Amino acid sequence: MKRQSDRFRRPLLQRGITLIELMIALTLGLLLSMGIGAIFVNSSQAQREYHRMAQQIEDGRYAMDVLTQDVHHAGYYGPYFKLPGPLAAPDPCAVSDASSAISNALPFAIQAYSAADYSSRPDLSGTSCGTWLPDANLLPGSDVVVVRRADTRALTIGSTPTANEVYLQVNPVQGQVQFGAETPLTAASTANGAAATVLKRDGGAADIHKLHVHVYFVAPCSVANGGGAVCTGANDDRGQPVPTLKRLELTAVGGVTTMNTVTIAEGVEAFQVDYGIDDSPAAVNDLTGSIGDGAPDRYVGAPTAAEMPNIVTGRLHILTRNRERSSGHSDTKTFELGSAGTLGPFNDGFKRHAYVAVVRIINMSSRREIPS
Amino acid sequence: MSRHGSQRGAVLVISMVMLIALTMFVISMLYTSNTNLKVVGNMQAQRQLEAVAQKVVEDRISSLAFFEDAIAATGIWPTGTNTIVSTEQGFTVTVYRPVCNWTEPEEGSSALNPLVPEQTVWTVRVVATDPVTSGSADVSQGVRMRMRPDHCPA
C-alpha cells in the first residue's frame, strides 16, 4: 500500500515542460533524425551501387572467360591437323553438309564479320544467318566472330550420339563431318551407325568429337518481349533493354540440326576483335606444310577471307555497362576498343568498364612453329 | 519519470534499428565482395594451372630423349612406367607416356629407299593438379616429328 501511494505521489512531483523546451527538443530531434535518415539513404544507395558494380564486373569477367577459352581452342579438331586448303569464306550458319558447307569450313577456325564503325552492323549478306541474326538482333558497332572447334572430349564407345547433332570423326590426316543417329557407338562405327572409314592406326574407328560452331554477337536485349530469340525493341527486358553478348551454336533441337541462340553475359555493350595475322614468311615451309612461323605479323580489325585462315592470335575488346542507371552519374569517359577507335563519351547514367585480352589460338599457331 | 524512462528507451531502440540496418548493408557488401574475390581467385588458380601444364608440355616436347626413351622403353620410360609425377610451383604435375598415334612415310621420299623417314604424330598429355583447391588442368598436345622408320611404338 505504501509503495502504491508513493507511485501516485511521484508523477505529481514531475514538472511539465515549457513550449520553448518542447520546440528545442523537437528541433534537435528533427535534426538528428534527418542526419540518421541521410546516412541511411546514403548507405543504402552505396550498397545498391556497389551491387550494380559487382554485377557488371562479374558480367565482364564471365564474358571474357568464355570468349578467351573458346577462342583459345579454336581450330582444335582432335588429332586432325591436315586441314583442306582454304576455299572461299564459308557460311557460318550452314546446318547441312550439302556441297561440303561444314567440312570445307574447318580451315576457318576463326571467321570474322567486322562492323565498319560504331554505328553500322557487320555485313552478314551471303550467309544463311539472317534467320537467327536479323538486324533487330544485332547491335550496331559490334563484330560477329565465328569460332570453329571440336569438343575436347571424344565420345566413348557405347555412348549414344544425339540425333542430328554434328560430329567430327578424326584421325591425324582425315576429318569427316557426321550427323548423329541414336545408335550406341561401337569400336568400328561412325556417329550415325555406319561402318567407319576414318580409322585409327590400329584399324579401329577413329575418335568422334562434337563439332562446335559458335557465332558470337551482341544483341540489343537479353530477354525479348514475348520470350522469342529475336529482340523486338524498347519493350524488351521489361522496358529497359540490356545489350547482351550472345552466341549461335550449331546443335540439334528436337532432332533437327539448327543454330540455337544462347545468352552468354548481360551488359556487354560492344565487342571488337583485332586479329593477329601470320603470313610471313610467305613461302610454304617444308617442315610445317604451311606458311608463316606461328607468330602474328600484324593486327587487323577486318581481315579478308584470304587472311582468316592465317589468324593465330585474337585481341578481344569488350565494353560492359551497368544494367541500371546510377542516379546523378554522367558517363564522360571515352573507351579504346583496339583498331576500331574510341567510343564515347556516352553522357548517360550508365557506368562502364572496358576489358581487353590477347588470346593465342594455340592450335592454329603451334602448327606453324618452325622447328629449330 | 516513467515518461522520461520510456523516451530514453525509444532513442535506444531507434538507434539500434538504424545500426542494424546499416550493419546489414555493410554485411551484404562484404558478402558480395567476398564472393567476387572467390570467383576471381578460382579463375586465377585455374589459369595458373593451365599455364603450368602448358609449360611442362613445352619443356617435355623440347627434349628428343623424352620420345626416344618411350620408343626404346629405357631411361625415364622403362616398360611399365606410364606416368611421371613431379611437383612444379607447388602443383602436382602428372606427365603421361607419349603415345604415337600415326605414322606415314615422309612425303617426297622414295619408297624404294630402305630407310624412308617417317612422319609420326604423337600425343603428349600433362595433368596439373592443385592440392589446395583440387582444381586440375588437363592439356594434350599433338607433336609431329620426322623419325627413322619403326620409331612409332604401337
Side-chain angles (χ1 to χ4, degrees):
Chain A
M1 277 307 276
K2 191 158 188 278
R3 278 176 67 100
Q4 212 174 11
S5 68
D6 268 358
R7 269 201 172 179
F8 270 121
R9 208 176 305 142
R10 280 180 81 174
L12 294 175
L13 287 176
Q14 198 185 34
R15 285 183 50 215
I17 49 171
T18 64
L19 189 61
I20 306 291
E21 273 176 336
L22 183 73
M23 284 175 79
I24 289 174
L26 270 176
T27 317
L28 283 177
L30 214 65
L31 278 175
L32 269 177
S33 47
M34 267 164 62
I36 291 172
I39 291 175
F40 183 84
V41 168
N42 251 334
S43 51
S44 112
Q45 254 173 8
Q47 188 246 8
R48 269 212 303 272
E49 196 55 48
Y50 189 79
H51 221 81
R52 277 191 210 118
M53 211 66 188
Q55 201 169 37
Q56 193 213 116
I57 290 172
E58 175 60 16
D59 281 342
R61 186 205 65 80
Y62 181 71
M64 230 29 183
D65 197 31
V66 169
L67 282 169
T68 48
Q69 290 281 349
D70 209 26
V71 171
H72 181 71
H73 284 112
Y76 171 79
Y77 301 118
Y80 183 36
F81 69 88
K82 250 187 193 165
L83 303 174
L87 302 152
D91 179 3
C93 299
V95 292
S96 94
D97 202 25
S99 41
S100 301
I102 299 178
S103 315
N104 284 344
L106 296 182
F108 289 82
I110 297 278
Q111 195 180 344
Y113 290 92
S114 197
D117 52 56
Y118 285 120
S119 55
S120 52
R121 297 181 172 90
D123 179 16
L124 290 173
S125 61
T127 73
S128 59
C129 294
T131 322
W132 305 277
L133 283 181
D135 277 358
N137 226 6
L138 276 178
L139 194 69
S142 288
D143 291 352
V144 168
V145 178
V146 184
V147 175
R148 291 189 179 84
R149 65 182 181 95
D151 199 273
T152 50
R153 280 161 303 178
L155 299 189
T156 51
I157 288 168
S159 65
T160 309
T162 313
N164 277 326
E165 191 81 81
V166 185
Y167 295 94
L168 205 55
Q169 190 164 36
V170 277
N171 67 23
V173 293
Q174 289 167 286
Q176 197 174 67
V177 172
Q178 297 165 354
F179 290 79
E182 284 179 331
T183 331
L185 288 183
T186 67
S189 71
T190 65
N192 48 24
T197 54
V198 179
L199 304 175
K200 276 196 250 189
R201 197 177 153 216
D202 62 9
D207 283 346
I208 297 173
H209 298 254
K210 161 95 186 73
L211 176 69
H212 292 300
V213 178
H214 294 155
V215 184
Y216 288 91
F217 64 99
V218 176
C221 74
S222 171
V223 182
N225 188 25
V230 175
C231 298
T232 60
N235 287 329
D236 298 332
D237 294 320
R238 293 202 201 98
Q240 286 202 316
V242 178
T244 302
L245 181 72
K246 298 185 181 182
R247 74 180 180 204
L248 295 178
E249 293 180 355
L250 178 64
T251 186
V253 177
V256 179
T257 314
T258 182
M259 301 299 282
N260 197 21
T261 307
V262 176
T263 301
I264 306 292
E266 290 184 342
V268 177
E269 203 170 24
F271 172 43
Q272 284 284 343
V273 185
D274 289 340
Y275 304 89
I277 311 284
D278 170 34
D279 52 8
S280 159
V284 172
N285 186 283
D286 279 349
L287 292 165
T288 63
S290 49
I291 63 165
D293 54 5
D297 300 306
R298 63 203 146 86
Y299 277 88
V300 296
T304 62
E307 284 172 328
M308 284 179 207
N310 298 328
I311 295 173
V312 292
T313 55
R315 197 154 56 196
L316 316 174
H317 304 264
I318 61 171
L319 179 68
T320 62
R321 72 154 165 79
N322 280 358
R323 297 182 194 178
E324 292 142 35
R325 284 188 171 81
S326 309
S327 58
H329 176 78
S330 176
D331 192 22
T332 53
K333 294 181 209 158
T334 50
F335 299 92
E336 176 82 46
L337 299 183
S339 65
T342 55
L343 186 57
F346 290 87
N347 294 315
D348 59 7
F350 293 110
K351 289 190 176 169
R352 290 178 174 79
H353 261 110
Y355 296 77
V356 59
V358 178
V359 188
R360 178 183 179 211
I361 302 161
I362 189 157
N363 288 282
M364 300 315 271
S365 77
S366 21
R367 282 175 202 153
R368 292 159 172 254
E369 275 177 5
I370 300 167
S372 50
Chain B
M1 204 48 196
S2 73
R3 207 175 144 222
H4 194 99
S6 74
Q7 210 171 29
R8 268 219 307 242
V11 170
L12 187 68
V13 167
I14 289 170
S15 49
M16 287 302 280
V17 167
M18 284 295 173
L19 257 180
I20 286 168
L22 293 185
T23 315
M24 285 299 183
F25 288 146
V26 174
I27 287 174
S28 139
M29 280 155 96
L30 274 178
Y31 191 77
T32 311
S33 54
N34 206 18
T35 312
N36 278 353
L37 209 62
K38 277 182 186 164
V39 170
V40 174
N42 267 338
M43 191 168 105
Q44 189 194 352
Q46 184 63 33
R47 286 290 148 83
Q48 205 174 349
L49 270 172
E50 286 167 19
V52 165
Q54 191 65 46
K55 176 196 173 284
V56 173
V57 166
E58 298 283 342
D59 280 356
R60 293 297 184 164
I61 63 175
S62 318
S63 130
L64 189 59
F66 180 71
F67 298 97
E68 297 277 11
D69 282 358
I71 294 163
T74 56
I76 55 170
W77 295 120
T79 312
T81 302
N82 288 319
T83 56
I84 297 174
V85 181
S86 63
T87 303
E88 187 91 24
Q89 297 171 25
F91 300 123
T92 311
V93 176
T94 310
V95 181
Y96 287 79
R97 195 186 181 102
V99 182
C100 187
N101 294 324
W102 197 257
T103 175
E104 58 184 12
E106 169 82 42
E107 276 172 39
S109 301
S110 164
L112 301 171
N113 188 330
L115 275 175
V116 178
E118 291 185 356
Q119 281 291 1
T120 57
V121 180
W122 298 72
T123 301
V124 178
R125 181 175 170 216
V126 169
V127 177
T129 315
D130 185 347
V132 181
T133 61
S134 60
S136 74
D138 189 332
V139 175
S140 288
Q141 170 109 30
V143 185
R144 190 164 62 124
M145 273 188 295
R146 186 185 287 169
M147 286 282 202
R148 283 162 287 160
D150 299 325
H151 272 61
C152 180

